[in-house]
PDB file of all heavy atoms in Angstrom:
ATOM      1  N   LEU A   1       0.828  -1.228   0.018  1.00 69.00           N
ATOM      2  CA  LEU A   1      -0.010  -0.041  -0.012  1.00 69.00           C
ATOM      3  C   LEU A   1       0.869   1.178  -0.011  1.00 69.00           C
ATOM      4  O   LEU A   1       1.991   1.292   0.569  1.00 69.00           O
ATOM      5  CB  LEU A   1      -0.903  -0.015   1.244  1.00 69.00           C
ATOM      6  CG  LEU A   1      -1.868  -1.164   1.397  1.00 69.00           C
ATOM      7  CD1 LEU A   1      -2.619  -1.080   2.700  1.00 69.00           C
ATOM      8  CD2 LEU A   1      -2.810  -1.271   0.212  1.00 69.00           C
ATOM      9  N   THR A   2       0.345   2.298  -0.621  1.00 78.00           N
ATOM     10  CA  THR A   2       1.057   3.569  -0.574  1.00 78.00           C
ATOM     11  C   THR A   2       0.828   4.225   0.820  1.00 78.00           C
ATOM     12  O   THR A   2       0.039   3.734   1.619  1.00 78.00           O
ATOM     13  CB  THR A   2       0.485   4.479  -1.668  1.00 78.00           C
ATOM     14  OG1 THR A   2      -0.883   4.722  -1.487  1.00 78.00           O
ATOM     15  CG2 THR A   2       0.692   3.858  -3.052  1.00 78.00           C
ATOM     16  N   ALA A   3       1.527   5.300   1.025  1.00 77.00           N
ATOM     17  CA  ALA A   3       1.382   5.980   2.303  1.00 77.00           C
ATOM     18  C   ALA A   3      -0.002   6.544   2.459  1.00 77.00           C
ATOM     19  O   ALA A   3      -0.539   6.484   3.597  1.00 77.00           O
ATOM     20  CB  ALA A   3       2.443   7.104   2.363  1.00 77.00           C
ATOM     21  N   LYS A   4      -0.592   7.035   1.434  1.00 76.00           N
ATOM     22  CA  LYS A   4      -1.983   7.584   1.449  1.00 76.00           C
ATOM     23  C   LYS A   4      -2.973   6.445   1.785  1.00 76.00           C
ATOM     24  O   LYS A   4      -3.857   6.616   2.604  1.00 76.00           O
ATOM     25  CB  LYS A   4      -2.327   8.233   0.193  1.00 76.00           C
ATOM     26  CG  LYS A   4      -3.693   8.965   0.197  1.00 76.00           C
ATOM     27  CD  LYS A   4      -3.963   9.650  -1.120  1.00 76.00           C
ATOM     28  CE  LYS A   4      -5.298  10.275  -1.104  1.00 76.00           C
ATOM     29  NZ  LYS A   4      -5.601  11.043  -2.388  1.00 76.00           N
ATOM     30  N   GLU A   5      -2.802   5.284   1.112  1.00 79.00           N
ATOM     31  CA  GLU A   5      -3.727   4.197   1.416  1.00 79.00           C
ATOM     32  C   GLU A   5      -3.552   3.674   2.806  1.00 79.00           C
ATOM     33  O   GLU A   5      -4.533   3.271   3.455  1.00 79.00           O
ATOM     34  CB  GLU A   5      -3.411   3.087   0.405  1.00 79.00           C
ATOM     35  CG  GLU A   5      -3.823   3.403  -1.042  1.00 79.00           C
ATOM     36  CD  GLU A   5      -3.401   2.359  -2.031  1.00 79.00           C
ATOM     37  OE1 GLU A   5      -2.608   1.505  -1.662  1.00 79.00           O
ATOM     38  OE2 GLU A   5      -3.904   2.392  -3.185  1.00 79.00           O
ATOM     39  N   LYS A   6      -2.268   3.632   3.291  1.00 78.00           N
ATOM     40  CA  LYS A   6      -2.113   3.202   4.657  1.00 78.00           C
ATOM     41  C   LYS A   6      -2.768   4.132   5.686  1.00 78.00           C
ATOM     42  O   LYS A   6      -3.351   3.708   6.674  1.00 78.00           O
ATOM     43  CB  LYS A   6      -0.597   3.150   4.988  1.00 78.00           C
ATOM     44  CG  LYS A   6       0.136   1.976   4.318  1.00 78.00           C
ATOM     45  CD  LYS A   6       1.622   1.986   4.690  1.00 78.00           C
ATOM     46  CE  LYS A   6       2.347   0.866   4.041  1.00 78.00           C
ATOM     47  NZ  LYS A   6       3.819   0.852   4.398  1.00 78.00           N
ATOM     48  N   LYS A   7      -2.709   5.448   5.396  1.00 78.00           N
ATOM     49  CA  LYS A   7      -3.344   6.394   6.243  1.00 78.00           C
ATOM     50  C   LYS A   7      -4.854   6.233   6.238  1.00 78.00           C
ATOM     51  O   LYS A   7      -5.501   6.255   7.288  1.00 78.00           O
ATOM     52  CB  LYS A   7      -2.934   7.818   5.857  1.00 78.00           C
ATOM     53  CG  LYS A   7      -3.445   8.886   6.768  1.00 78.00           C
ATOM     54  CD  LYS A   7      -2.953  10.268   6.348  1.00 78.00           C
ATOM     55  CE  LYS A   7      -3.445  11.315   7.290  1.00 78.00           C
ATOM     56  NZ  LYS A   7      -2.946  12.681   6.913  1.00 78.00           N
ATOM     57  N   GLN A   8      -5.379   6.049   5.049  1.00 81.00           N
ATOM     58  CA  GLN A   8      -6.864   5.877   4.929  1.00 81.00           C
ATOM     59  C   GLN A   8      -7.299   4.582   5.657  1.00 81.00           C
ATOM     60  O   GLN A   8      -8.320   4.577   6.291  1.00 81.00           O
ATOM     61  CB  GLN A   8      -7.296   5.824   3.485  1.00 81.00           C
ATOM     62  CG  GLN A   8      -7.115   7.146   2.733  1.00 81.00           C
ATOM     63  CD  GLN A   8      -7.502   7.060   1.290  1.00 81.00           C
ATOM     64  OE1 GLN A   8      -7.759   6.011   0.754  1.00 81.00           O
ATOM     65  NE2 GLN A   8      -7.543   8.235   0.599  1.00 81.00           N
ATOM     66  N   ARG A   9      -6.525   3.536   5.481  1.00 80.00           N
ATOM     67  CA  ARG A   9      -6.862   2.257   6.153  1.00 80.00           C
ATOM     68  C   ARG A   9      -6.835   2.470   7.662  1.00 80.00           C
ATOM     69  O   ARG A   9      -7.663   1.914   8.403  1.00 80.00           O
ATOM     70  CB  ARG A   9      -5.962   1.168   5.627  1.00 80.00           C
ATOM     71  CG  ARG A   9      -6.247  -0.153   6.344  1.00 80.00           C
ATOM     72  CD  ARG A   9      -5.618  -1.361   5.646  1.00 80.00           C
ATOM     73  NE  ARG A   9      -6.249  -1.587   4.413  1.00 80.00           N
ATOM     74  CZ  ARG A   9      -5.962  -2.646   3.606  1.00 80.00           C
ATOM     75  NH1 ARG A   9      -5.050  -3.501   3.992  1.00 80.00           N
ATOM     76  NH2 ARG A   9      -6.626  -2.812   2.478  1.00 80.00           N
ATOM     77  N   SER A  10      -5.745   3.171   8.129  1.00 82.00           N
ATOM     78  CA  SER A  10      -5.649   3.366   9.598  1.00 82.00           C
ATOM     79  C   SER A  10      -6.816   4.131  10.158  1.00 82.00           C
ATOM     80  O   SER A  10      -7.361   3.814  11.215  1.00 82.00           O
ATOM     81  CB  SER A  10      -4.338   4.092   9.914  1.00 82.00           C
ATOM     82  OG  SER A  10      -3.225   3.322   9.490  1.00 82.00           O
ATOM     83  N   LEU A  11      -7.263   5.149   9.382  1.00 83.00           N
ATOM     84  CA  LEU A  11      -8.448   5.922   9.870  1.00 83.00           C
ATOM     85  C   LEU A  11      -9.691   5.076   9.848  1.00 83.00           C
ATOM     86  O   LEU A  11     -10.537   5.194  10.750  1.00 83.00           O
ATOM     87  CB  LEU A  11      -8.595   7.167   8.919  1.00 83.00           C
ATOM     88  CG  LEU A  11      -7.520   8.218   8.994  1.00 83.00           C
ATOM     89  CD1 LEU A  11      -7.764   9.272   7.952  1.00 83.00           C
ATOM     90  CD2 LEU A  11      -7.474   8.817  10.376  1.00 83.00           C
ATOM     91  N   GLU A  12      -9.879   4.229   8.867  1.00 83.00           N
ATOM     92  CA  GLU A  12     -11.029   3.373   8.780  1.00 83.00           C
ATOM     93  C   GLU A  12     -11.014   2.350   9.922  1.00 83.00           C
ATOM     94  O   GLU A  12     -12.027   2.084  10.521  1.00 83.00           O
ATOM     95  CB  GLU A  12     -11.101   2.623   7.438  1.00 83.00           C
ATOM     96  CG  GLU A  12     -12.369   1.865   7.208  1.00 83.00           C
ATOM     97  CD  GLU A  12     -12.424   1.257   5.773  1.00 83.00           C
ATOM     98  OE1 GLU A  12     -11.483   1.559   5.010  1.00 83.00           O
ATOM     99  OE2 GLU A  12     -13.462   0.576   5.519  1.00 83.00           O
ATOM    100  N   ILE A  13      -9.852   1.777  10.210  1.00 83.00           N
ATOM    101  CA  ILE A  13      -9.752   0.827  11.272  1.00 83.00           C
ATOM    102  C   ILE A  13     -10.033   1.508  12.660  1.00 83.00           C
ATOM    103  O   ILE A  13     -10.786   0.999  13.520  1.00 83.00           O
ATOM    104  CB  ILE A  13      -8.316   0.192  11.365  1.00 83.00           C
ATOM    105  CG1 ILE A  13      -8.118  -0.703  10.112  1.00 83.00           C
ATOM    106  CG2 ILE A  13      -8.126  -0.618  12.603  1.00 83.00           C
ATOM    107  CD1 ILE A  13      -6.759  -1.306   9.957  1.00 83.00           C
ATOM    108  N   GLU A  14      -9.510   2.727  12.836  1.00 83.00           N
ATOM    109  CA  GLU A  14      -9.779   3.507  14.104  1.00 83.00           C
ATOM    110  C   GLU A  14     -11.260   3.804  14.175  1.00 83.00           C
ATOM    111  O   GLU A  14     -11.850   3.719  15.282  1.00 83.00           O
ATOM    112  CB  GLU A  14      -9.004   4.801  14.043  1.00 83.00           C
ATOM    113  CG  GLU A  14      -9.137   5.654  15.288  1.00 83.00           C
ATOM    114  CD  GLU A  14      -8.501   4.966  16.471  1.00 83.00           C
ATOM    115  OE1 GLU A  14      -7.607   4.149  16.315  1.00 83.00           O
ATOM    116  OE2 GLU A  14      -8.972   5.278  17.580  1.00 83.00           O
ATOM    117  N   LYS A  15     -11.952   4.088  13.053  1.00 82.00           N
ATOM    118  CA  LYS A  15     -13.344   4.362  13.118  1.00 82.00           C
ATOM    119  C   LYS A  15     -14.162   3.141  13.501  1.00 82.00           C
ATOM    120  O   LYS A  15     -15.160   3.225  14.235  1.00 82.00           O
ATOM    121  CB  LYS A  15     -13.815   4.877  11.738  1.00 82.00           C
ATOM    122  CG  LYS A  15     -15.307   5.282  11.698  1.00 82.00           C
ATOM    123  CD  LYS A  15     -15.622   5.838  10.287  1.00 82.00           C
ATOM    124  CE  LYS A  15     -17.075   6.249  10.204  1.00 82.00           C
ATOM    125  NZ  LYS A  15     -17.371   6.774   8.861  1.00 82.00           N
ATOM    126  N   ILE A  16     -13.785   1.982  13.014  1.00 84.00           N
ATOM    127  CA  ILE A  16     -14.456   0.754  13.392  1.00 84.00           C
ATOM    128  C   ILE A  16     -14.250   0.367  14.834  1.00 84.00           C
ATOM    129  O   ILE A  16     -15.174   0.005  15.516  1.00 84.00           O
ATOM    130  CB  ILE A  16     -13.957  -0.388  12.440  1.00 84.00           C
ATOM    131  CG1 ILE A  16     -14.348  -0.114  11.005  1.00 84.00           C
ATOM    132  CG2 ILE A  16     -14.548  -1.757  12.873  1.00 84.00           C
ATOM    133  CD1 ILE A  16     -13.757  -1.061   9.971  1.00 84.00           C
ATOM    134  N   ILE A  17     -12.991   0.510  15.278  1.00 81.00           N
ATOM    135  CA  ILE A  17     -12.687   0.185  16.719  1.00 81.00           C
ATOM    136  C   ILE A  17     -13.429   1.065  17.658  1.00 81.00           C
ATOM    137  O   ILE A  17     -13.811   0.672  18.752  1.00 81.00           O
ATOM    138  CB  ILE A  17     -11.173   0.183  16.891  1.00 81.00           C
ATOM    139  CG1 ILE A  17     -10.503  -0.956  16.172  1.00 81.00           C
ATOM    140  CG2 ILE A  17     -10.822   0.111  18.419  1.00 81.00           C
ATOM    141  CD1 ILE A  17      -8.984  -0.996  16.343  1.00 81.00           C
ATOM    142  N   SER A  18     -13.625   2.326  17.299  1.00 81.00           N
ATOM    143  CA  SER A  18     -14.359   3.266  18.151  1.00 81.00           C
ATOM    144  C   SER A  18     -15.800   2.861  18.363  1.00 81.00           C
ATOM    145  O   SER A  18     -16.447   3.290  19.280  1.00 81.00           O
ATOM    146  CB  SER A  18     -14.291   4.682  17.572  1.00 81.00           C
ATOM    147  OG  SER A  18     -14.978   4.709  16.313  1.00 81.00           O
ATOM    148  N   CYS A  19     -16.320   1.963  17.497  1.00 81.00           N
ATOM    149  CA  CYS A  19     -17.769   1.497  17.660  1.00 81.00           C
ATOM    150  C   CYS A  19     -17.813   0.223  18.446  1.00 81.00           C
ATOM    151  O   CYS A  19     -18.923  -0.305  18.687  1.00 81.00           O
ATOM    152  CB  CYS A  19     -18.357   1.311  16.285  1.00 81.00           C
ATOM    153  SG  CYS A  19     -18.422   2.787  15.231  1.00 81.00           S
ATOM    154  N   LEU A  20     -16.686  -0.394  18.832  1.00 82.00           N
ATOM    155  CA  LEU A  20     -16.698  -1.651  19.535  1.00 82.00           C
ATOM    156  C   LEU A  20     -16.695  -1.432  21.071  1.00 82.00           C
ATOM    157  O   LEU A  20     -16.566  -0.339  21.488  1.00 82.00           O
ATOM    158  CB  LEU A  20     -15.384  -2.423  19.079  1.00 82.00           C
ATOM    159  CG  LEU A  20     -15.292  -2.791  17.620  1.00 82.00           C
ATOM    160  CD1 LEU A  20     -13.971  -3.506  17.338  1.00 82.00           C
ATOM    161  CD2 LEU A  20     -16.460  -3.638  17.206  1.00 82.00           C
ATOM    162  N   PRO A  21     -16.909  -2.527  21.807  1.00 81.00           N
ATOM    163  CA  PRO A  21     -16.858  -2.384  23.290  1.00 81.00           C
ATOM    164  C   PRO A  21     -15.575  -1.771  23.801  1.00 81.00           C
ATOM    165  O   PRO A  21     -14.582  -1.704  23.129  1.00 81.00           O
ATOM    166  CB  PRO A  21     -17.093  -3.823  23.740  1.00 81.00           C
ATOM    167  CG  PRO A  21     -17.838  -4.432  22.629  1.00 81.00           C
ATOM    168  CD  PRO A  21     -17.260  -3.861  21.410  1.00 81.00           C
ATOM    169  N   LEU A  22     -15.633  -1.379  25.140  1.00 78.00           N
ATOM    170  CA  LEU A  22     -14.524  -0.672  25.686  1.00 78.00           C
ATOM    171  C   LEU A  22     -13.229  -1.483  25.734  1.00 78.00           C
ATOM    172  O   LEU A  22     -12.130  -0.939  25.548  1.00 78.00           O
ATOM    173  CB  LEU A  22     -14.922  -0.259  27.153  1.00 78.00           C
ATOM    174  CG  LEU A  22     -13.844   0.482  27.954  1.00 78.00           C
ATOM    175  CD1 LEU A  22     -13.487   1.787  27.261  1.00 78.00           C
ATOM    176  CD2 LEU A  22     -14.294   0.736  29.361  1.00 78.00           C
ATOM    177  N   GLU A  23     -13.317  -2.794  25.929  1.00 77.00           N
ATOM    178  CA  GLU A  23     -12.088  -3.619  26.007  1.00 77.00           C
ATOM    179  C   GLU A  23     -11.300  -3.609  24.740  1.00 77.00           C
ATOM    180  O   GLU A  23     -10.096  -3.810  24.748  1.00 77.00           O
ATOM    181  CB  GLU A  23     -12.469  -5.021  26.424  1.00 77.00           C
ATOM    182  CG  GLU A  23     -13.444  -5.694  25.469  1.00 77.00           C
ATOM    183  CD  GLU A  23     -13.771  -7.084  25.876  1.00 77.00           C
ATOM    184  OE1 GLU A  23     -13.024  -7.686  26.683  1.00 77.00           O
ATOM    185  OE2 GLU A  23     -14.790  -7.665  25.419  1.00 77.00           O
ATOM    186  N   PHE A  24     -12.005  -3.363  23.571  1.00 79.00           N
ATOM    187  CA  PHE A  24     -11.289  -3.286  22.287  1.00 79.00           C
ATOM    188  C   PHE A  24     -10.838  -1.891  21.971  1.00 79.00           C
ATOM    189  O   PHE A  24     -10.028  -1.692  21.037  1.00 79.00           O
ATOM    190  CB  PHE A  24     -12.213  -3.810  21.157  1.00 79.00           C
ATOM    191  CG  PHE A  24     -12.612  -5.202  21.310  1.00 79.00           C
ATOM    192  CD1 PHE A  24     -13.860  -5.557  21.873  1.00 79.00           C
ATOM    193  CD2 PHE A  24     -11.771  -6.281  20.917  1.00 79.00           C
ATOM    194  CE1 PHE A  24     -14.257  -6.846  21.983  1.00 79.00           C
ATOM    195  CE2 PHE A  24     -12.183  -7.553  21.095  1.00 79.00           C
ATOM    196  CZ  PHE A  24     -13.367  -7.895  21.616  1.00 79.00           C
ATOM    197  N   ARG A  25     -11.294  -0.911  22.726  1.00 77.00           N
ATOM    198  CA  ARG A  25     -10.964   0.517  22.413  1.00 77.00           C
ATOM    199  C   ARG A  25      -9.748   1.022  23.192  1.00 77.00           C
ATOM    200  O   ARG A  25      -9.439   2.158  23.094  1.00 77.00           O
ATOM    201  CB  ARG A  25     -12.124   1.414  22.699  1.00 77.00           C
ATOM    202  CG  ARG A  25     -13.379   1.157  21.909  1.00 77.00           C
ATOM    203  CD  ARG A  25     -14.296   2.306  21.795  1.00 77.00           C
ATOM    204  NE  ARG A  25     -14.677   2.808  23.116  1.00 77.00           N
ATOM    205  CZ  ARG A  25     -15.781   2.460  23.758  1.00 77.00           C
ATOM    206  NH1 ARG A  25     -16.593   1.587  23.206  1.00 77.00           N
ATOM    207  NH2 ARG A  25     -16.056   2.918  24.938  1.00 77.00           N
TER     208      ARG A  25
END
């Protein structure tokens, strides 16, 4: 992945984890 794609994927992963229970956040 390029640096831009890595950044977008990291943001998407962070957005998904923020919706999970506290032990995963």
Side-chain angles (χ1 to χ4, degrees):
L1 301 177
T2 62
K4 183 178 181 180
E5 292 175 346
K6 288 182 180 179
K7 185 176 181 180
Q8 291 178 353
R9 177 165 291 187
S10 299
L11 293 175
E12 187 175 358
I13 292 175
E14 183 67 26
K15 184 178 180 182
I16 294 171
I17 290 180
S18 63
C19 301
L20 297 177
L22 179 61
E23 57 180 342
F24 298 99
R25 298 200 305 265

